[in-house]
Amino acid sequence: MAGQNSKRPFPLPSEIEAVPGTEGWEEMYPYFTRIRPEDDKRFWFYNSMHFPEPMPAFDAVTAEVPYTAMGAYTTRVFAFPTALGIDYRIINGRVYITANSVSDPKEIERRLKVFQERAPHYFQNWNTLFDGWKKRMLALIEDIDAIKVPALGDFEDASTVTNARGVAENHFVRTAFHRTIEAYSVMWHHHFEFLMLGYGAYLVFFQFCKKAFPEIPDQTVARMVAGIDVLMFRPDDELKKLARLAVELGLDGNFVEGAPPEKILASLRKLGEKGERWLQALETARQPWFNIATGDGFYHHHRCWNDDLSVPFSALPRYMRLVKEGDKLERPTEKLKVERGRITKEYRALLKTDEERGAFDQMLALCHLVFPYVEDHKFYCEQWFTTRFFSKVREFGALLARWGQIEESEDIFHLQHFEVDQALVEIMIAWAAGSEARGGPHFKPLIRRRKEILEKLKDWNAPAAIGPMPESIEDPAVQMLWGITSETLDSWSRVPDAKDANEIRGYAASAGVVEGIARVLTSPNDIGQVREGDILICAVTNPSWAPVFGKILAAVSDIGGTMSHAAIVAREYGMPAVVGTGQATKRIRTGQRVRVDGGRGVVTLLD
Amino acid sequence: MNTGHRNPQLSNTGTGFIYWFEDIRLASRPTVGGKGASLGELTHAGIPVPPGFVVSTDAFETSIRALDPDGSIRRSIVALHGADLARVADVAREIRARIEAAPLPAKVESEIVEAHARLCGADSDAPLAVRSSATSEDSAQASFAGLQETLLWVRGVDATLKALRSCWASLYSLESVSYRLRLAIDEAQVAMGVVVQRMVNSRSSGVMFTRSPTTGDPSVIAIEGSWGLGSAIVSGEVTPDRFVVNKVTDEIAKRDIATKLVEHVPAASGSGVTTAEVPQERQTLACLSDAELGALRELGRRVEKHYGSAQDIEWAVARDGAIYLLQSRPETVWSTREVQPVAAPRTNPFDHVLAALSGKRRP
């Protein structure tokens, strides 16, 4: 890659042009996210994996808090010798990041001493600590659900007097909001407590495999490591159970594809005991398994199944049809386990010496130790907790709307959390003063403007990277989390020549070749629109989409790394998938005929 | 391709001029040459190989002795100076002419005629491949291979005898003689077996390596193939399709389909081979189906397992879809390379992680 610097394949941060009609977009985000002249010296890439859309003002907290926690663990808690944390900037609503690293050998040595003292504690006590982690996470979820948003009624409750509490209700408005944000922060600290060490274990095994078998596909390494009974499959399993029950009770006729869930539920309520039994089963499944969002938990508008039943319900008619055709809808877990064992054994046998086999066994065993955390934390953190978090924030939105600060509760997501603080404080004052809150004329036009800006920013063609291109990408977190390597940078910076005009290249995630009609999803909420036989084209696939994976012929995504659950699900369904194309949603139209070659990682436009 | 001649008891003559594949093992190399030994070993291992026999080095020695009882041929070569190309060419041409013109000793000829009849069965004009199988071929001096004659689509016993003499004579081609002079190979050690086997009417053919020729990865099989007979690939007249197949997961990791403009096919006369243009609609079609790639992978794995080392294999797919192997020899590039072990066990499994994240390059 040397020598390409002069060509500057990516623009500098300061060269990024404003999107017409979005003047003042910077005000949506805290000052510390803005680019500064010295940022031109560093290389940044667009984290479109986690942030595929422009950030609403409140949702910027989903960048601020995770990076606060992640860096704490690498830089300060475990003192990773070479890897510090992530710096981020928001440009035209998109989150760009860069990884800080240590290169001074003396400093690396100093950090290594600390790292060697601390990391073993976690590896040696992994399962015990993970059990403790789960308890802490469940308690945290209870905590956030228990946060009470003060009603701020006419008079204070009498108990404040009889118990001589000495603190009036308005005081708790700010406390409750801060507790909500704090719980979110604690969640992300828990999230990274194990994660970077877990990735380290995977990275070591991955590198070993790549050295021993230079042509081994990333997906095959993942397959040797991946768990079979992972939580991410549970929501889909619960849906299948509900489909079986509906067929058993003879209720399947009530589930019409595309019918609104409220209508279906209402029709079931009229059916007496059988309908009640199914509704009861649905309620049981919903907690916690429907606390799964259509996205990865980084946007308030990626609604969770519990908020919007149309997503899970869209999968039910097909499942019911399959049940009636005699399909038990069970994941072939035994078969998958046997196959994983066979692949592992055969690769192991191909190693040259017993010494290598000894190292292989150690590294793989370590991966199997850490992987339940790596795979299951997502459900606890990004799904279960995060859906509760956004629900709680909506309650504050409702309070703001009641006091006329904003039009409706959803509008809270167009204010920074720092601004929400102000809006709430004013309500505390107004409630006490017996006057009106005066934020409406301030916040309402601001929110309207921000909605306009966001709409316009959506059309911005965000460059995959900005700044001077580095010689190589060494950071394990960048490689593992985002699938970005020196080769990725090369392909991003390559100008497509005429031969490539109808080809889009990405990572070969799951083998097989199919042709079909594309359905391009611009928002994960549209997942309910996917129909049988579609080829799904999306920014980033999400494990919660598993129910539609049975319907589609193939999946193509803009973003995806080696740890992508979606690739694993695709392989389980034996369905071709190409991930990390960088541009599929921009270059493919719904209705266009495409060929997906999942073994080569190529999508061909046929029209 | 059933010839109905199989009867091991009868197959070897007391004189040792003819060896059927069934009776040959790798160790027979000094008497049947490298190619013949490989075909025998494969046949013995149950790998599909077109049936045939080898005219042994004894047959060669006996025939040369009859032609040249006082050893003048070998002496005239030893007396040559490699640098004097014109003289080498003259001597070599003269020797070739003598070998090609001389009738075979009666005993040698009658045994070959008998073996030919057995191999061809009812169809005495069945097409055959007559392939040189030198004793020094395929050894460390791998480049020696290819210097000797292979005649394809040979029909009838007379043409077979003629082809046999051509193969023997090819030991005295200008290239072969120069090569031996340059490497100072002992002329007394030079001998040749000749393989006579049923011709595969190849729809596609090519080579495969049971590890990656580019990275040495032992978990993949690299396959190259093109339309028609394999001679088009060997001679470099066509850029082959390239496939990489995973041994463990069966995935086809790479599939580079080349534009294959020509193919070697049997000549219209029925004898010999000709170069034909590939019709446009077949030029960019893959020369192997996924099922055939799978079958080749299985054969490759079996041969590799049989030998216990990575192999370099020639294969052909007949027009009826049957797959045959035509040659297998040890892969030499990666197998002989000294490699550091990728990693060794450590006291604690997590020490691997500490070391990898330590910022230090591995020793």
Side-chain angles (χ1 to χ4, degrees):
Chain A
M1 223 176 332
Q4 291 206 5
N5 292 12
S6 54
K7 273 196 259 163
R8 284 244 315 269
F10 305 115
L12 295 177
S14 62
E15 293 169 341
I16 301 287
E17 282 177 19
V19 180
T22 65
E23 290 72 22
W25 66 264
E26 295 91 342
E27 302 302 322
M28 287 198 289
Y29 314 109
Y31 74 91
F32 50 79
T33 64
R34 290 175 204 158
I35 54 163
R36 289 175 286 227
E38 62 269 27
D39 290 336
D40 273 1
K41 296 193 188 102
R42 305 176 69 189
F43 179 73
W44 307 81
F45 68 87
Y46 174 28
N47 181 2
S48 53
M49 174 173 175
H50 293 122
F51 307 109
E53 304 167 43
M55 307 303 293
F58 186 87
D59 297 9
V61 76
T62 69
E64 174 195 320
V65 172
Y67 292 136
T68 312
M70 178 183 173
Y73 276 91
T74 51
T75 311
R76 310 287 174 184
V77 177
F78 289 116
F80 278 57
T82 59
L84 302 178
I86 296 283
D87 273 334
Y88 78 101
R89 303 283 185 266
I90 300 182
I91 303 174
N92 285 344
R94 314 292 175 132
V95 177
Y96 282 80
I97 61 175
T98 195
N100 293 327
S101 56
V102 184
S103 53
D104 171 22
K106 264 197 189 144
E107 180 61 8
I108 292 175
E109 196 57 39
R110 194 176 75 93
R111 295 178 63 82
L112 179 60
K113 278 211 187 79
V114 180
F115 181 65
Q116 281 170 335
E117 284 163 15
R118 297 183 179 188
H121 179 69
Y122 268 77
F123 284 123
Q124 282 167 326
N125 301 291
W126 192 274
N127 281 333
T128 321
L129 296 178
F130 183 27
D131 284 343
W133 184 92
K134 281 185 248 185
K135 287 197 190 91
R136 276 185 276 137
M137 272 309 299
L138 292 175
L140 189 66
I141 290 163
E142 271 182 33
D143 279 355
I144 194 156
D145 279 339
I147 292 173
K148 213 171 142 262
V149 180
L152 296 183
D154 188 9
F155 290 118
E156 180 84 16
D157 193 273
S159 63
T160 305
V161 176
T162 50
N163 293 342
R165 186 168 67 174
V167 180
E169 202 183 10
N170 61 342
H171 165 83
F172 294 103
V173 172
R174 177 162 48 197
T175 317
F177 184 64
H178 285 188
R179 274 180 64 201
T180 304
I181 301 291
E182 280 159 19
Y184 186 63
S185 172
V186 170
M187 180 276 280
W188 278 106
H189 276 262
H190 288 354
H191 176 279
F192 286 112
E193 178 186 356
F194 289 70
L195 194 65
M196 304 320 275
L197 294 176
Y199 281 154
Y202 184 72
L203 183 72
V204 162
F205 181 65
F206 182 84
Q207 287 174 340
F208 175 93
C209 289
K210 286 284 176 182
K211 223 169 155 193
F213 309 106
E215 299 185 32
I216 191 171
D218 296 359
Q219 35 172 310
T220 305
V221 184
R223 233 166 127 182
M224 287 193 262
V225 170
I228 308 285
D229 300 312
V230 295
L231 285 188
M232 269 305 175
F233 289 108
R234 269 301 286 277
D236 192 29
D237 288 345
E238 292 296 321
L239 271 188
K240 289 171 176 171
K241 253 197 251 168
L242 287 168
R244 281 195 294 267
L245 181 64
V247 172
E248 205 181 295
L249 297 172
L251 302 172
D252 48 290
N254 294 65
F255 293 83
V256 181
E257 187 154 357
E262 317 82 68
K263 261 198 176 156
I264 296 173
L265 293 178
S267 73
L268 292 173
R269 274 185 215 108
K270 288 186 209 135
L271 290 178
E273 198 223 342
K274 280 184 175 174
E276 278 309 315
R277 253 186 78 191
W278 193 87
L279 290 167
Q280 195 50 52
L282 173 68
E283 283 315 306
T284 311
R286 285 178 74 159
Q287 291 306 336
W289 304 113
F290 280 27
N291 289 309
I292 181 164
T294 50
D296 263 332
F298 294 92
Y299 293 90
H300 74 275
H301 55 263
H302 293 176
R303 303 307 297 270
C304 84
W305 288 9
N306 269 336
D307 297 340
D308 181 359
L309 286 172
S310 66
V311 174
F313 273 36
S314 75
L316 284 174
R318 181 172 161 275
Y319 283 164
M320 290 172 189
R321 199 181 67 231
L322 290 173
V323 169
K324 286 205 286 195
E325 285 165 7
D327 192 329
K328 291 207 170 60
L329 294 183
E330 277 160 356
R331 287 179 62 232
T333 48
E334 264 322 298
K335 213 179 105 200
L336 292 167
K337 269 182 206 154
V338 168
E339 180 63 0
R340 182 179 73 174
R342 182 191 70 80
I343 289 173
T344 307
K345 206 174 125 213
E346 291 198 20
Y347 270 104
R348 188 182 183 280
L350 285 167
L351 292 168
K352 289 187 295 292
T353 60
D354 283 344
E355 199 184 33
E356 284 187 353
R357 280 183 273 273
F360 176 91
D361 292 345
Q362 280 188 329
M363 293 175 185
L364 185 60
L366 192 65
C367 280
H368 287 151
L369 175 69
V370 303
F371 243 58
Y373 175 79
V374 171
E375 292 179 315
D376 287 351
H377 82 274
K378 273 197 160 189
F379 182 73
Y380 286 97
C381 294
E382 281 99 320
Q383 303 294 341
W384 191 357
F385 178 89
T386 302
T387 57
R388 309 315 305 147
F389 168 69
F390 280 128
S391 295
K392 190 55 70 181
V393 175
R394 282 189 181 91
E395 290 183 37
F396 288 98
L399 178 68
L400 291 177
R402 265 202 316 279
W403 281 77
Q405 303 284 66
I406 59 179
E407 297 282 358
E408 52 173 350
S409 64
E410 285 297 299
D411 285 349
I412 191 174
F413 295 111
H414 293 286
L415 299 177
Q416 296 179 25
H417 67 92
F418 306 105
E419 295 169 334
V420 171
D421 238 30
Q422 291 184 34
L424 290 173
V425 167
E426 203 209 351
I427 293 176
M428 290 157 64
I429 297 168
W431 183 78
S435 48
E436 303 280 313
R438 300 183 304 149
H442 172 67
F443 290 120
K444 286 175 184 172
L446 185 78
I447 288 167
R448 276 196 296 276
R449 172 72 185 140
R450 287 178 177 182
K451 286 179 179 172
E452 266 173 39
I453 292 176
L454 276 183
E455 270 314 301
K456 295 202 167 117
L457 288 178
K458 269 188 191 164
D459 297 332
W460 183 54
N461 198 347
I466 52 178
M469 187 141 125
E471 286 298 311
S472 62
I473 294 273
E474 301 280 356
D475 189 290
V478 173
Q479 288 188 8
M480 301 312 301
L481 269 170
W482 291 285
I484 293 171
T485 60
S486 298
E487 291 76 48
T488 325
L489 295 182
D490 257 355
S491 73
W492 280 351
S493 60
R494 203 162 51 100
V495 181
D497 54 33
K499 188 173 148 269
D500 297 339
N502 53 4
E503 275 190 2
I504 301 171
R505 286 174 180 275
Y507 291 104
S510 177
V513 183
V514 290
E515 282 181 19
I517 304 298
R519 181 173 299 269
V520 183
L521 291 196
T522 48
S523 162
N525 290 345
D526 298 338
I527 192 73
Q529 297 172 4
V530 173
R531 292 291 169 263
E532 199 131 12
D534 283 347
I535 288 184
L536 176 64
I537 316 285
C538 54
V540 50
T541 52
N542 182 280
S544 71
W545 297 6
V548 306
F549 270 38
K551 283 186 181 181
I552 57 179
L553 291 179
V556 178
S557 76
D558 288 350
I559 292 295
T562 57
M563 307 292 282
S564 139
H565 274 89
I568 294 169
V569 177
R571 287 193 291 279
E572 261 204 46
Y573 279 88
M575 179 186 78
V578 177
V579 302
T581 63
Q583 47 180 342
T585 56
K586 291 193 188 100
R587 289 188 51 195
I588 302 173
R589 295 173 278 107
T590 291
Q592 197 169 13
R593 202 168 169 75
V594 296
R595 182 191 306 125
V596 179
D597 185 338
R600 285 168 62 221
V602 176
V603 184
T604 312
L605 312 177
L606 301 174
D607 300 336
Chain B
M1 191 97 37
N2 182 11
T3 58
H5 73 276
R6 310 293 169 119
N7 189 341
Q9 255 74 47
L10 295 175
S11 62
N12 278 347
T13 60
T15 51
F17 294 153
I18 300 292
Y19 289 85
W20 291 92
F21 289 171
E22 293 78 341
D23 305 306
I24 295 171
R25 300 290 181 273
L26 263 196
S28 322
R29 185 191 177 104
T31 45
V32 298
K35 194 170 287 166
S38 154
L39 289 168
E41 186 71 26
L42 291 175
T43 303
H44 175 64
I47 303 290
V49 166
F53 58 85
V54 181
V55 180
S56 73
T57 51
D58 281 352
F60 171 78
E61 291 288 349
T62 304
S63 303
I64 294 291
R65 254 201 312 279
L67 166 73
D68 175 31
D70 61 353
S72 66
I73 290 180
R74 277 173 182 163
R75 270 203 313 281
S76 66
I77 300 254
V78 173
L80 285 170
H81 292 286
D84 188 356
L85 261 191
R87 176 82 187 119
V88 174
D90 284 346
V91 169
R93 189 182 318 112
E94 196 185 310
I95 296 171
R96 287 204 305 277
R98 281 176 73 185
I99 292 175
E100 280 171 357
L104 298 181
K107 182 84 179 127
V108 175
E109 181 168 318
S110 69
E111 288 191 15
I112 295 173
V113 169
E114 189 194 339
H116 180 274
R118 271 196 204 139
L119 179 60
C120 294
D123 179 10
S124 63
D125 267 349
L128 302 176
V130 181
R131 311 164 76 193
S132 301
S133 177
T135 51
S136 57
E137 194 190 345
D138 307 333
S139 63
Q141 306 123 350
S143 58
F144 203 43
L147 290 183
Q148 283 122 21
E149 194 82 276
T150 284
L151 291 118
L152 302 177
W153 230 265
V154 176
R155 286 180 187 270
V157 70
D158 291 340
T160 302
L161 290 168
K162 188 162 177 272
L164 168 76
R165 288 196 296 264
S166 293
C167 286
W168 285 348
S170 73
L171 264 184
Y172 298 95
S173 69
L174 172 62
E175 294 85 352
S176 294
V177 172
S178 305
Y179 188 85
R180 290 202 296 274
L181 288 171
R182 199 165 67 243
L183 295 189
I185 292 170
D186 180 6
E187 276 301 304
Q189 302 299 312
V190 173
M192 182 188 269
V194 174
V195 168
V196 178
Q197 73 184 132
R198 294 289 290 254
M199 188 73 214
V200 180
N201 188 1
S202 307
R203 186 207 70 210
S204 304
S205 45
V207 292
M208 70 173 148
F209 306 91
T210 64
R211 67 193 298 170
S212 164
T214 48
T215 64
D217 190 328
S219 69
V220 297
I221 292 186
I223 299 174
E224 295 188 352
S226 190
W227 297 120
L229 302 168
S231 46
I233 297 185
V234 177
S235 65
E237 283 171 68
V238 64
T239 304
D241 293 341
R242 289 160 199 270
F243 307 90
V244 175
V245 186
N246 189 301
K247 280 181 193 169
V248 179
T249 64
D250 305 353
E251 280 159 349
I252 297 162
K254 259 187 212 133
R255 190 197 295 272
D256 290 335
I257 307 304
T259 306
K260 301 169 288 296
L261 298 174
V262 296
E263 62 181 328
H264 284 187
V265 292
S269 65
S271 286
V273 170
T274 184
T275 304
E277 278 181 28
V278 175
Q280 196 157 11
E281 66 272 16
R282 263 201 304 135
Q283 286 177 1
T284 53
L285 278 186
C287 71
L288 289 167
S289 70
D290 287 5
E292 287 164 347
L293 285 169
L296 279 174
R297 183 198 64 235
E298 275 318 300
L299 282 174
R301 290 203 78 175
R302 270 172 66 194
V303 174
E304 183 180 53
K305 215 170 237 172
H306 179 76
Y307 283 110
S309 68
Q311 297 289 302
D312 169 354
I313 294 166
E314 288 174 27
W315 54 265
V317 179
R319 295 200 182 269
D320 64 3
I323 299 181
Y324 297 93
L325 299 194
L326 307 177
Q327 166 90 307
S328 180
R329 56 194 155 208
E331 187 276 340
T332 50
V333 178
W334 291 93
S335 311
T336 51
R337 199 172 278 195
E338 282 289 328
V339 216
Q340 290 291 314
V342 177
R346 292 179 186 265
T347 316
N348 290 305
F350 60 76
D351 289 339
H352 292 289
V353 185
L354 300 191
L357 297 177
S358 70
K360 290 174 187 158
R361 296 228 165 266
R362 236 171 299 179

